[in-house]
Amino acid sequence: MKLYEYLGKELFERYGIPVPVGRVVENADQAAKAAAELNEVVIKSQVLTGKRGKAGGISFASSPEEAKKEAERIFSMELGGFTADKLLVEEKVQIEKEIYLALTVDGAAQRPVVLVSLDGGMDVEDVPEERMIRWPVDVTVGLQSFMVREICRKLGVEGSLQKEFLKLMPKVYKFFREMDAELAEINPLALTPNGLVAADAKVTIDDDALFRHPQLPRIKEKTALELKAEELDLAYVELEGDIAVMANGAGITMATLDMVQHYGGSPANFLDFGGGANVEKTSQALELLLGTNPKVLLINIFGGITRCDVVAEAFSRVRETKGIELPVSFRLVGTNETEGRAILEKAGIKSFTSMDEAVSHAVDLLNAS
Ligand code: GDP
Ligand code: MN
């Protein structure tokens, strides 16, 4: 479960991790009032997506009027499919340096790992590997001071900043462990004239450990499309790639996503329309996918209780009524395969029998588009 920034910061505060003074507001007037109390402020959209800064969801204001105007703008904007119900208005801290600090789980090492870089800020993805220090932690030992010193040595950090890290990192580690977090990311960790301040908080709590945290609110944020999919009883998750994927079953859908990656493409979504869907439901699933404006459509059907002719029928129906403009790669095998293939052929669509061929064809189509 992802936490909103303001909730992450509330928890940070309890663990003695310094955060800027701030107020959570629900309308532009409240934002103006907060700005009157805090002078120079940062106004931050409280949505569960990163990269708000680049998308215009973070703004600065030096007067209540300006804060009101900016708050109105941020409330009305959509960020990664979400609009904010709340904004965080904070005193603007003076940042001398943006540092990246995170604790996450290294699944392969079966340990928490500390990630630190002195090149924090909005382009942290581009930081070269050698500038990002990774320090796995043995949970039976914890994060000890000598380890923090060693991390500092690797970073080339000494003096007062080292002292700050020695104070801060064990607190973040304690927070991470006690809250059963999967991720506690502070980017930027701001170096200010008064020391380190967590200017951002991105926290994910392990869903399986939520029962240990009854005091935490249960947060569920879905995009408009994900809500629509829920209504239609489809398992749908939005991803960031270009190839829309539709398959009949969770396992085959996962495998399809993996194979898309394997061939060098990137999936736009996960859509499992289930086994045994009728023409109506299959058409709805297809329409939903087309609404996301992908570049290529990949349909992967291994028919058991799902009948190939039903899927083909749904496909040609949607094609006739709504039009399907984008290139399509179809894999069709199993129950009523011959009938299904005949329906597709009538519509001028060639289908593959192997998943390999269909996926690599989809990636070729993407590269040609
Ligand atoms: P994100 O883009 O969603 O990760 O949002 P952040 O909270 O990290 O804010 C994006 C950027 O805004 C940061 O990297 C900072 O450069 C800037 N920023 C955020 N808060 C402050 C602040 O209090 N003072 C200053 N000077 N810059 C800030
Ligand atoms: Mn950030």
Side-chain angles (χ1 to χ4, degrees):
M1 180 180 79
K2 290 182 181 173
L3 298 186
Y4 291 105
E5 177 191 8
Y6 74 92
L7 283 172
K9 283 178 168 171
E10 265 174 41
L11 295 173
F12 279 0
E13 233 180 335
R14 285 190 221 159
Y15 279 80
I17 301 162
V19 297
V21 181
R23 313 257 187 279
V24 178
V25 303
E26 292 182 355
N27 60 53
D29 287 322
Q30 289 175 359
K33 190 160 163 274
E37 289 163 16
L38 300 169
N39 301 316
E40 290 274 320
V41 292
V42 190
I43 303 172
K44 315 181 78 175
S45 177
Q46 296 301 289
V47 286
L48 295 179
T49 77
K51 312 234 159 79
R52 294 163 303 169
K54 287 212 164 140
I58 308 277
S59 185
F60 301 93
S62 10
S63 68
E65 297 72 40
E66 204 183 343
K68 185 172 171 172
K69 214 177 99 219
E70 284 305 301
E72 273 164 2
R73 182 182 67 76
I74 296 176
F75 270 127
S76 68
M77 78 187 296
E78 200 177 276
L79 288 162
F82 303 113
T83 50
D85 298 326
K86 293 186 172 74
L87 307 182
L88 179 59
V89 180
E90 286 184 330
E91 61 167 1
K92 181 177 175 186
V93 293
Q94 198 186 322
I95 305 184
E96 287 168 0
K97 189 161 188 49
E98 301 202 346
I99 296 166
Y100 178 92
L101 172 63
L103 259 145
T104 184
V105 179
D106 181 334
Q110 302 182 356
R111 293 181 172 196
V113 59
V114 181
L115 296 167
V116 203
S117 173
L118 296 181
D119 304 318
M122 292 201 270
D123 290 308
V124 73
E125 289 82 4
D126 303 332
V127 172
E129 227 168 275
E130 66 276 11
R131 299 273 304 165
M132 178 69 76
I133 307 302
R134 299 176 53 90
W135 188 278
V137 182
D138 179 340
V139 289
T140 60
V141 180
L143 184 66
Q144 303 285 333
S145 297
F146 74 88
M147 300 173 185
V148 178
R149 278 195 203 91
E150 188 56 23
I151 293 171
C152 286
R153 196 188 58 75
K154 285 174 179 260
L155 289 167
V157 159
E158 34 189 42
S160 62
L161 184 54
Q162 187 193 58
K163 280 208 187 102
E164 286 277 319
F165 273 145
L166 279 162
K167 271 195 299 184
L168 185 80
M169 280 191 202
K171 290 177 183 166
V172 180
Y173 179 75
K174 188 165 190 272
F175 164 85
F176 177 82
R177 292 281 295 153
E178 290 186 3
M179 291 310 299
D180 294 303
E182 285 173 346
L183 175 71
E185 184 188 73
I186 309 176
N187 185 33
L189 173 63
L191 180 60
T192 74
N194 305 316
L196 293 173
V197 177
D200 192 7
K202 203 166 156 194
V203 176
T204 309
I205 307 292
D206 182 351
D207 287 334
D208 293 325
L210 278 177
F211 72 96
R212 284 204 284 245
H213 305 280
Q215 76 289 0
L216 281 181
R218 297 305 189 251
I219 300 165
K220 220 171 158 193
E221 201 174 73
K222 293 202 162 148
T223 64
L225 269 172
E226 283 169 344
L227 284 172
K228 174 126 188 269
E230 199 174 67
E231 243 170 65
L232 297 173
D233 200 24
L234 301 165
Y236 174 77
V237 181
E238 259 175 83
L239 301 170
E240 270 143 27
D242 312 298
I243 302 180
V245 176
M246 182 168 151
N248 62 320
I252 192 175
T253 312
M254 289 297 276
T256 311
L257 299 192
D258 284 351
M259 208 178 266
V260 167
Q261 298 271 8
H262 173 76
Y263 279 106
S266 58
N269 67 280
F270 173 103
L271 173 62
D272 161 20
F273 70 103
N278 58 18
V279 174
E280 191 54 39
K281 185 172 172 188
T282 311
S283 309
Q284 284 170 334
L286 203 50
E287 280 171 28
L288 178 116
L289 260 198
L290 295 171
T292 64
N293 293 321
K295 295 199 178 123
V296 174
L297 177 61
L298 169 61
I299 301 176
N300 185 9
I301 306 303
F302 187 90
I305 47 171
T306 298
R307 287 167 38 194
C308 292
D309 56 328
V310 167
V311 179
E313 184 62 48
F315 182 83
S316 52
R317 189 194 282 187
V318 172
R319 205 169 111 112
E320 263 166 41
T321 54
K322 312 263 156 157
I324 296 179
E325 320 259 293
L326 74 178
V328 182
S329 183
F330 223 118
R331 185 257 188 144
L332 201 61
V333 287
T335 311
N336 292 358
E337 177 180 331
T338 321
E339 293 85 338
R341 209 174 295 288
I343 296 170
L344 288 183
E345 260 159 32
K346 228 188 263 167
I349 302 271
K350 180 175 160 304
S351 51
F352 296 95
T353 48
S354 101
M355 176 157 160
D356 248 301
E357 281 175 310
V359 175
S360 83
H361 182 58
V363 176
D364 288 344
L365 289 172
L366 175 68
N367 292 336
S369 74

